[in-house]
Amino acid sequence: MPNILVIAEHDIGQLKLATLSAVAFAGQIVAAASGSFDILVIGNNVAPTVELLRNYGASTVLVADHAQLEHPVGDKYAQVIADVATQRGATMVVGAASTFSKDILPRAAALLDAAMLSDVIGAHLAGDDFIFRRVMFAGNVIATVKLGGAVRFLTVRATAFAHPPKGAESSPVLSVAVEADKLPAFIEYVGRESKETGRPDSTEARVVVSGGRAIKNAEDFERLIGGLADALGGAVGSSRALVDAGVTPNSLQVGQTGKVVAPDLYIAVGISGAIQHLAGMKDTKVIVAINKDPDAPIFEVADFGMVADVYQAVPELVQKLRNQTA
């Protein structure tokens, strides 16, 4: 009988919606084999985030609230997760497949000498245990994996699990004691550099506009990609080529080594369509490609394509969109 601990992810008071995909996964496991799941919220002054998670069927919403946990520092968060998993007798610890989870969950798994599996897209009961499906090699291979051990750590792809509906009943809230003097201090939080754009995160937006190698510099990226995204009320993304060239920050990268997105509309501007990039956006409902190379691989997966110079086509498209909303 599974006893699952779901790790909530939030940032500056905002719940990351990918958490709900992890909750959906936990709900599927519990429905298949009975059991129960808890949600763990870690941080400082996290009461608003806790309230957002009380109507999704958890047995308990656990809260580790302490000033030393204000920032998601890997060693401290991992210790808290390992301690809570032990206290609650968890058989699975689950988080969304994100930068947050990739940093913290393997550390917690190591503390418990537990197995770790990433990018899970499905699971089914086989006898008394679960068989998990995960993507590998830029999505070209789907592996079936069985994990051993008393407790297993998993990250799930948010695009594979639809958010569960809110229920009428509210889960009880239980505070978890945090022994601050026993938390590790191998990592020091120095600061955070971020640029406020007012745009949604690409993993949560309905529309994502991404730029590729055809964009020459950061100013052009903001003018073309940012301008089109703003006209559509969407988020911006980037290929790895622009990140490697220093044109865009790593936080915008979409692809195998970046973010995995599945919006309603994905517009690939000047992106050739390398398989590593497609791995991060191929679950999109509608893909639009703009590229001056008619033989670009991106056109093979695009629902709509435009063979054109992005420096000419995108400003015209932005202007038309703005005229329609004026």
Side-chain angles (χ1 to χ4, degrees), residues 53-199:
L53 291 166
R54 294 188 63 192
N55 296 99
Y56 290 101
S59 296
T60 308
V61 178
L62 306 168
V63 186
D65 196 317
H66 195 278
Q68 285 203 29
L69 301 174
E70 181 174 359
H71 306 293
V73 179
D75 57 351
K76 290 181 173 61
Y77 271 43
Q79 186 66 60
V80 171
I81 291 169
D83 290 345
V84 173
T86 301
Q87 294 164 12
R88 303 293 291 187
T91 58
M92 292 186 195
V93 179
V94 180
S98 64
T99 303
F100 170 89
S101 294
K102 290 175 183 177
D103 177 34
I104 294 168
L105 289 194
R107 299 174 189 267
L111 291 173
L112 297 180
D113 195 24
M116 174 83 207
L117 186 64
S118 61
D119 285 322
V120 172
I121 60 171
H124 67 272
L125 191 61
D128 296 328
D129 209 348
F130 280 90
I131 302 295
F132 302 101
R133 292 188 301 126
R134 62 163 302 202
V135 294
M136 299 174 61
F137 303 112
N140 288 306
V141 172
I142 297 178
T144 55
V145 183
K146 185 175 181 179
L147 295 178
V151 57
R152 289 157 285 186
F153 282 70
L154 310 167
T155 65
V156 300
R157 280 210 170 184
T159 57
F161 301 94
H163 297 169
K166 276 191 172 184
E169 297 184 6
S170 296
S171 303
V173 177
L174 177 64
S175 294
V176 174
V178 178
E179 298 182 82
D181 58 330
K182 294 184 179 180
L183 290 176
F186 300 111
I187 301 173
E188 178 185 359
Y189 178 82
V190 176
R192 171 174 177 159
E193 294 183 7
S194 61
K195 181 180 179 181
E196 295 297 330
T197 64
R199 297 175 185 135

Side-chain angles (χ1 to χ4, degrees), residues 251-262:
S251 59
L252 297 184
Q253 183 179 331
V254 173
Q256 183 180 10
T257 54
K259 293 180 177 180
V260 177
V261 302

Side-chain angles (χ1 to χ4, degrees), residues 243-308:
V243 173
D244 290 345
V247 174
T248 58
N250 180 263
S251 59
L252 297 184
Q253 183 179 331
V254 173
Q256 183 180 10
T257 54
K259 293 180 177 180
V260 177
V261 302
D264 293 337
L265 173 63
Y266 187 89
I267 304 179
V269 180
I271 292 175
S272 63
I275 192 170
Q276 291 84 358
H277 186 81
L278 298 182
M281 43 68 75
K282 65 181 181 180
D283 292 327
T284 299
K285 292 181 180 178
V286 178
I287 300 172
V288 175
I290 305 174
N291 199 300
K292 68 179 181 180
D293 179 6
D295 297 321
I298 190 68
F299 288 122
E300 296 178 9
V301 299
D303 298 284
F304 301 94
M306 177 187 297
V307 178

